[in-house]
Each structure stands twice: as structure tokens, then as C-alpha cells.
Amino acid sequence: MSGPPGGIPPTIAQLTGPVLLGHLFNWGLFGALTVQTYIYYLSFPKDKLLPKALVCAVFVIEILQTILATRDAFRNFGTGWGNMEDLNDVGWLWFSVPVMSSIISCTAQMFYAWRIYILSQKLYLSIIIGAISIVQAGAGIWCGAAAHILGVFSEVQSHEYKPTSVWLGGTALCDVIIATAMLYYLSNSRTGFRQTSLLLTRIIRITVETGFVCAAFAILDLAFFLRFQNNNYHLAPSIALSKLYSNSLLVVLNARMRVIGGRALHSAPSDDYSLSYIAHNSVTMIPFTPKASQISGQETSRSLSIAVSHQVSTDAIKNGNDKDNDAYFDDQRTSRV
């Protein structure tokens, strides 16, 4: 398709390259989100209705966002290829980027605010996080509506820098507060037990990593938007911003999962049951069974393996009656656990 008078500018790569990268990032993160959602579906069928509904709603919104963004990608690089006016047209990105990203980020931040309240039992910090999240979501929706009215990217960058600063700056500020608060309260929750410490260390690492990654992308998006007014650098992180928040939410939910027999030999099972209906009050004890070479007289250290189950179990220990098991465990009181 022929371009407008004046032809294609020499800076065409600065206009099309970031858009292409943004759509590639968006599709890649959508694939990761699909896998995360499937893992959640398989791993936590006993979760309460609220987290299930949250995961379902986020995934449906992300499907819609991907469809709308792909429609604009096909318009830019397919039917409208070479047309600079079509490249400058906002299309449906006014809805799929600022509006849907602010909704997804607000949803994830509200979830984190609730988790912080569960950890700290203090309401004021969760209220602050919720207020900042609502403000940034409102600013994001405002930016989307204004972009739809203006209609072209060149006008959006020159007229909407204030609400965009509130949207992306508020998002980054909220993420930093959440990551810092989770780090503080989880660090103070250490009990001295090795397995619990391993679990808390894993949760702290995931929370800090996802929180600061989302904040870094929001700050990067804002910096590109304010600094580079004559190109589309800001669209590279902006198009895929909602996918970062969706994946971070699913990563935190799936952190409770334990892979049996995996490479993480020292990982601890999660004892976070605030999202699940399942009670955590059963312990299965598996007695140590010596090998034939050990029975023949070789000296070996005897050990007792204890595994905590996620489900309530009332079954008796297999291959032995209660008296034999009682005698065995009495004999193992001084053994290594």
C-alpha cells in the first residue's frame, strides 16, 4: 500500500520496531500466562471461590486484550503496511493498553493488599495500597479515553503526559510499597524451623522479584513516554504491561505448589491454607526400612522420614498394625529426623 505524501521517513524503525517488539512480548507472556493458569487449574482444585474467580477473570480479560492488540498489529503490519497515517492511528490500543492494563494491575495490587492485611493484621497499609491502586487505575482509564478522543499517537504524547505520569508513576509506587511490605512482614514471620524458613525465603524471593519487575517496566514505560516524544519507544513495554501483572499474580498463587521428586530437593511444602478449604492437620510417618545388606550386620544410621500431606487423611499406616508401629516409633525417639 502506498504511503502518504513524503513517503516513509528515515526514522521508520523507531516507529514500527517498538510496536513489533511490544506485540511479540505480549504474545510470549500470554503463552506463559496460559501455562500458569493450567498449572493452577491442576494443582489447586480445593481453593476457595474468590481466588478461582480471580484467576478466571484475569485470564478472560487477557484473552480479550491479546485479541484486540493482535488486531492492531495486523492493521499496522498487514493491511496498513506502508501507510504512515494508519501507523499513527491509535486504533483499539486506547482500550487494550491503558484501560485493560490499569484494570489488571489494580486487581493484582488489591490482591496483594489483602495478603498484606492477612500477614500483618494491620488495615492502614492495605488501605494506602488500595487507594494508590484505585487512583492509578482511574488515571489509566482517563488516558485511554483521551487517546480514543485524540485518535493519533503523535497527539497523545504531547497532550496526555500528566495523566500518564499519574497512571504509570502510581503503578510503580504501589508495586514498590507492596514488595517492601511483603519483604518486611515475611521476614519477621520466620520461626527458626528450617522448612518454614525455606518456604518463607522462596515466597520473599518471588514477591520481591515480581513486584520490582512490574515496577521497573512501569518506570521504563513512563521514562520512554516523557523523554521520547517523536517515536513509539514507550509502546514496547506498554503493550505487554498487563501480562506482567497477570503472570506475577499467578506466580504467587502457584508458589504454594510442591513438585514431588523434582530438582528442588530442599524445598518445603507450602503451609499457606488461607486460600484453600483443605485443613492442614495430618502427618504421615513413613518408617525407615533397612536393606538386606544392613540387616546382615553392617552399621548404618537409622532415620525417620516425616511427610506432611495437603489433605486430611485418616488411613492407618500401611504394612503394620498399631502396636508394631508404636513400638517402632518408640524405638526411634533418639534417631535422626
Side-chain angles (χ1 to χ4, degrees):
M1 182 178 292
S2 61
I8 297 178
T11 58
I12 184 64
Q14 299 177 8
L15 300 175
T16 58
V19 179
L20 177 61
L21 290 177
H23 287 295
L24 292 177
F25 292 156
N26 195 44
W27 266 103
L29 291 173
F30 179 70
L33 179 65
T34 303
V35 174
Q36 293 271 13
T37 305
Y38 184 63
I39 291 175
Y40 176 82
Y41 169 77
L42 292 178
S43 302
F44 304 103
K46 299 296 184 181
D47 268 7
K48 297 177 182 178
L49 181 61
L50 178 60
K52 287 183 178 179
L54 181 63
V55 171
C56 182
V58 167
F59 188 65
V60 170
I61 293 174
E62 289 295 359
I63 291 176
L64 178 60
Q65 193 272 349
T66 305
I67 292 173
L68 294 177
T70 304
R71 181 259 183 193
D72 283 311
F74 189 79
R75 176 178 57 83
N76 291 331
F77 300 102
T79 59
W81 176 251
N83 190 332
M84 297 303 299
E85 292 181 356
D86 199 54
L87 181 63
N88 195 33
D89 185 30
V90 172
W92 278 98
L93 286 181
W94 70 270
F95 184 74
S96 62
V97 175
V99 174
M100 302 192 79
S101 294
S102 59
I103 292 174
I104 292 294
S105 62
C106 182
T107 303
Q109 288 162 354
M110 288 295 185
F111 173 79
Y112 285 125
W114 174 65
R115 298 297 293 160
I116 289 173
Y117 171 71
I118 296 296
L119 285 172
S120 64
Q121 294 298 313
K122 297 177 181 178
L123 194 59
Y124 67 91
L125 185 57
S126 298
I127 292 177
I128 293 174
I129 294 173
I132 297 175
S133 180
I134 292 173
V135 169
Q136 67 85 13
I141 295 173
W142 177 282
C143 291
H148 179 58
I149 294 172
L150 293 172
V152 291
F153 285 115
S154 56
E155 295 293 328
V156 170
Q157 287 188 268
S158 59
H159 289 83
E160 293 301 315
Y161 62 92
K162 288 184 179 180
T164 302
S165 300
V166 175
W167 165 39
L168 296 174
T171 300
L173 176 62
C174 196
D175 293 335
V176 171
I177 294 175
I178 289 171
T180 305
M182 293 288 284
L183 176 62
Y184 173 76
Y185 288 116
L186 287 173
S187 298
N188 290 339
S189 299
R190 297 182 184 274
T191 60
F193 293 100
R194 181 175 179 274
Q195 295 294 332
T196 304
S197 298
L198 288 173
L199 173 63
L200 289 175
T201 301
R202 183 177 64 179
I203 295 176
I204 289 171
R205 185 182 69 249
I206 291 173
T207 302
V208 172
E209 287 175 354
T210 55
F212 282 112
V213 165
C214 292
F217 266 76
I219 294 172
L220 186 65
D221 188 6
L222 179 60
F224 284 161
F225 186 86
L226 297 178
R227 176 64 180 84
F228 302 100
Q229 294 288 324
N230 298 319
N231 52 54
N232 292 328
Y233 287 167
H234 66 282
L235 289 178
S238 182
I239 292 175
L241 188 61
S242 67
K243 297 294 190 300
L244 286 173
Y245 285 97
S246 301
N247 276 281
S248 67
L249 177 64
L250 265 297
V251 165
V252 172
L253 289 173
N254 289 336
R256 300 169 292 157
M257 182 184 65
R258 183 189 184 190
V259 179
I260 303 298
R263 294 182 181 274
L265 298 179
H266 301 290
S267 62
S270 172
D271 48 4
D272 179 5
Y273 291 90
S274 60
L275 299 174
S276 177
Y277 287 112
I278 299 179
H280 178 69
N281 44 0
S282 68
V283 176
T284 303
M285 296 186 177
I286 305 172
F288 172 80
T289 304
K291 297 180 180 179
S293 59
Q294 298 170 345
I295 298 176
S296 61
Q298 298 180 5
E299 292 294 333
T300 58
S301 60
R302 306 176 70 185
S303 62
L304 175 65
S305 175
I306 301 178
V308 181
S309 173
H310 279 268
Q311 297 182 352
V312 177
S313 176
T314 57
D315 296 335
I317 301 175
K318 297 181 180 180
N319 300 325
N321 54 38
D322 293 339
K323 293 182 178 179
D324 293 336
N325 288 322
D326 291 339
Y328 178 82
F329 289 122
D330 288 338
D331 183 58
Q332 296 295 321
R333 286 176 181 174
T334 59
S335 299
R336 176 173 54 88
V337 177

